[in-house]
Structures are given as structure tokens and as C-alpha cells.
Amino acid sequence: MPSPQGTSRCGRSGELSAPRLRDGTPERAGLDPGELGRLVREVRALTTGERPWAAGAVVLAGRGPCVAVAEAAGWAVRYAAYDPESDTGVELPPAARVPMTVETPFDLASVTKLFTAVAAVQQIERGTLGIDAEVGAYLPDFRAAARHRVTVRQLLTHTSGLRPELPLYDYDDDTGRLNRLRAEVPVGVPGTYCYSDLNPLLLQHVLERITGRGLDVLIRDGITRPLGMTATHFGPCPGAAATEDQRRPWAKMERGLLRGVVHDENAFALGGVAGHAGLFSTARDLAVFCRTLLAGGSYGPARILGPDFVELLLTPPGLGFAMDQEWFMGELAGRGAAGHTGFTGTMLVLDRATDTFLILLANTVHPRRRPPNNAPRAAAATRVSRAVQAR
């Protein structure tokens, strides 16, 4: 079982503030070193060969305030382009490649949704946003959502009935994109789950309307700055791991090899700041984010949410967070584990039952996107689960 808040093998007891993360060992974190050793070897193997699962990867896992393992493998930049005739990446000369490090930033893709969700729950805690309020109360000009009485809770739980996405990147100006979003009506049955990027996009507009501030400012001032997450921000991010040689027909835009600019086409069309994608971060920064939620909303002297609102955020079905999803959480699923994946190859999972967290960041879309293979994510989470059980 996890140590009580404020005590740990890696921290001092009796602290008034929540303990900060510290590098430790598997043993000091209460995790089995054999299982974590296998985790690292398996992640390294994912980055080798002619057609690796990812060009490079970073894995970080811990328990309580202890970071038990933090390792990098492979390349942040391995390819110059993608060759569709041979269906292979055009390899850079070894001297021109960029090695992956634990400090390499990644395009988080849909992991961004978690930060949008926390920003929303912060407004719920302050009383400026009602979780069961109708979107039309805040955005009367979004007539379709207002007419169909879409609620904030439905946006946060993907039960609004909105379709998965819209081709906003096909519009030439912000007015056209905004008018398309305003006119979008639910196509599914309200209350039925359907994962949709449009939910956090509408939520972004709600948050910006009620606060008068951009989502990037809300996340910076409400989450990343107080937590000291200096590597987490919306792009551009020049030192990030490369993603895709983005070209039609496999992509939706002609942009060439991407590095340090958002991969998601809609987020790019929206200027790089979007409720569903656009953030860049590192494994260590995401570990701080996980630790904060596991500690009830506090990290060091900073508090970004009260414990009751962390409970609201992480009570099934979860607000923004996916809960107990075996397809990427492996054997961590089933006890109230929460997390999310990102299309570019990112993932985080936190398990309140065992006070553990796992971050796996990889550039699986470098040099081009492939059908998703989530088995490595589930396998990594299972290793962490077994590392707890073994102790």
C-alpha cells in the first residue's frame, strides 16, 4: 500500500507541503528492481531494428515521491524523410541524428486533454463553471450545442454525441473554422460515449469565454508555473523529438518533416493552442503532474486543486482522464488507474491504489504514422504493476 501523504522512503515525515519528486532506486520506492529492469530492456528493444515501434523513447516510473527509473533509448531525430516507394524512412547519417535523452521534450498530442480537463475543474472549484451547466449558458453563439443542450460534464466525459473530429484544417481563416465549430450538431445519442476532439475544443472556448484568458495562459498560470513544470508549454518547441514527414495521402496536410511544431493538423490550423492537442513536455515534468494528482492536488508548497476536486476529476468515468483501460494500462487497470495516450506515441498512467505512476513517451509517428499498436504501452504498465505486487 502507498505510504501516507507526507511520509515516504524518499521524503521526510511531518512536512507541511507535499513532498517533491526525488531520484531514488526501485528498492527505496518499494518497487521490484527485476521488473523495472525488464521494463527498461523492453523499451530499449522497441527502438531497435529497421522498423522499430518508435525511433526513440523515454520511460519514467516511480512510486510516492521516488522516481525509481528514468531511461532514454533510440533517437529523437533518426530520419530525414519518409520514402513511400520503399515504405521506409530515409535515414540520416549517424553523425546527423539526435540521440534521445530523458530531458527530450515530446509533442504530447491528446495528453493535452488532461491539462484542459484540470483547467476546467479549477474553474468548477472556483464556482465560475458548473459541471452540469449547459454549454449554451456560456456560449450562446454556439447555437448547435446550445440547441441540443450539451453540458460541460458531457464535454469532459465524451458523452456529448459530437463526432470524433472535423476537418478544420481545410478552412483558410479563423472565421471559417469557428463558424464550422459553432454549427456542429451532435450526431450520436447524448449520454453515449464517443471519443471526440471536439469536446475539449468546445471546452476551450467555454474556459476562454468565462475567464477572458487564452487556454495557454490558463494552463501556464494555473498548472505548469505553480508546479515548476518549466518544460511544459504550447509550441513551438525546437528541441522536441521529431514526428512525421507529414504529406498526403497518409496525412491531412502537406507540411514535410515536423519537429517542434504541433503534429495534429487541426491544432496546427488553430495556431498551435487547442484543447485537444498542442502541448509539449518532458517525462520529468509529467511525473510532477502525476505526483500532484496522486498527492491530492499539491506539490511542494503549491496546490492546483483541492483533494475533493481531484476526487471529482478521477472518479469513474473520469473527467478528461481515461479510467481503467486495459488496452494501454495493462495490469494497472482495474483499481482506479487513470491516464491518457497521445497519437504521437505518448502516454501517462497514475494508479492511486498503489501510489505509482508511469510515463512512456515515444515518437512512434517518426517518420510517418502507422496503425496504432498499443501492446507496448500495456506491457510497460503491466511491468510496473508487477513491480508493486512483487514487493
Side-chain angles (χ1 to χ4, degrees):
M1 294 297 293
S3 301
Q5 184 174 330
T7 65
S8 166
R9 296 177 180 85
C10 268
R12 298 191 302 270
S13 62
E15 292 179 334
L16 296 178
S17 58
R20 296 178 182 271
L21 285 173
R22 303 179 187 183
D23 287 333
T25 63
E27 292 87 350
R28 292 188 69 189
L31 296 171
D32 183 75
E35 289 291 347
L36 293 189
R38 284 185 278 275
L39 167 66
V40 170
R41 290 193 295 273
E42 289 167 2
V43 169
R44 287 175 177 161
L46 295 171
T47 68
T48 61
E50 292 184 1
R51 295 177 183 270
W53 180 72
V58 175
V59 61
L60 187 150
R63 189 179 189 192
C66 281
V67 175
V69 61
E71 296 284 344
W75 304 97
V77 185
R78 176 174 174 175
Y79 305 100
Y82 168 73
D83 179 8
E85 292 188 5
S86 64
D87 189 28
T88 58
V90 179
E91 300 252 15
L92 287 165
R97 299 177 192 174
V98 179
M100 192 69 78
T101 74
V102 172
E103 305 304 328
T104 298
F106 285 77
D107 179 339
L108 295 185
S110 285
V111 174
T112 300
K113 293 179 173 74
L114 302 184
F115 290 81
T116 303
V118 170
V121 174
Q122 287 178 330
Q123 296 304 315
I124 294 169
E125 182 176 22
R126 291 166 189 164
T128 56
L129 181 66
I131 188 168
D132 290 310
E134 294 181 8
V135 170
Y138 307 106
L139 301 174
D141 49 322
F142 281 62
R143 294 183 182 87
R147 186 169 65 253
H148 289 269
R149 308 188 70 175
V150 172
T151 69
V152 171
R153 186 187 296 272
Q154 288 173 341
L155 296 182
L156 283 163
T157 56
H158 294 285
T159 56
S160 66
L162 292 168
R163 71 186 73 206
E165 64 174 352
L166 287 173
L168 299 177
Y169 46 82
D170 281 344
Y171 290 81
D172 294 330
D173 56 72
D174 291 340
T175 300
R177 285 185 281 270
L178 184 56
N179 286 340
R180 183 67 183 87
L181 193 58
R182 283 171 171 162
E184 180 63 17
V185 300
V187 297
V189 178
T192 303
Y193 180 84
C194 178
Y195 181 82
S196 170
D197 286 349
L198 304 186
N199 290 313
L201 275 177
L202 258 66
L203 189 59
Q204 174 186 359
H205 283 280
V206 170
L207 294 173
E208 292 180 343
R209 185 72 59 87
I210 66 177
T211 65
R213 294 186 291 169
L215 181 65
D216 53 341
V217 176
L218 291 173
I219 289 175
R220 181 195 68 200
D221 291 351
I223 304 173
T224 61
R225 180 181 286 171
L227 296 181
M229 296 172 61
T230 57
T232 305
H233 54 81
F234 287 95
C237 184
T243 56
E244 185 175 34
D245 182 4
Q246 199 168 88
R247 289 183 275 154
R248 298 180 190 270
W250 57 84
K252 302 162 189 172
M253 300 180 77
E254 296 274 349
R255 298 170 62 199
L257 188 72
L258 305 179
R259 186 186 185 199
V261 292
V262 64
H263 174 270
D264 182 90
E265 292 94 340
N266 273 343
F268 174 74
L270 293 168
V273 178
H276 70 290
L279 276 176
F280 290 79
S281 189
T282 63
R284 289 193 182 276
D285 262 23
L286 292 178
V288 171
F289 183 67
C290 290
R291 185 67 223 139
T292 301
L293 297 177
L294 287 167
S298 294
Y299 185 76
R303 178 177 289 281
I304 63 167
L305 280 176
D308 289 348
F309 290 89
V310 174
E311 190 70 26
L312 174 67
L313 188 76
L314 300 180
T315 295
L319 301 182
F321 284 76
M323 304 294 298
D324 288 326
Q325 297 296 305
E326 189 176 352
W327 61 271
F328 78 91
M329 297 178 182
E331 292 178 10
L332 280 176
R335 299 178 298 237
H340 215 286
T341 64
F343 185 79
T344 50
T346 57
M347 178 189 82
L348 69 80
V349 182
L350 56 94
D351 180 25
R352 290 192 293 167
T354 59
D355 204 24
T356 55
F357 53 92
L358 167 68
I359 294 101
L360 178 60
L361 304 178
N363 50 354
T364 58
V365 298
H366 182 52
R368 69 152 286 187
R369 66 190 71 187
R370 302 282 185 184
N373 175 8
N374 291 298
R377 290 166 163 160
T382 293
R383 286 292 178 207
V384 173
S385 177
R386 293 178 181 179
V388 177
Q389 294 172 5
R391 302 295 292 183

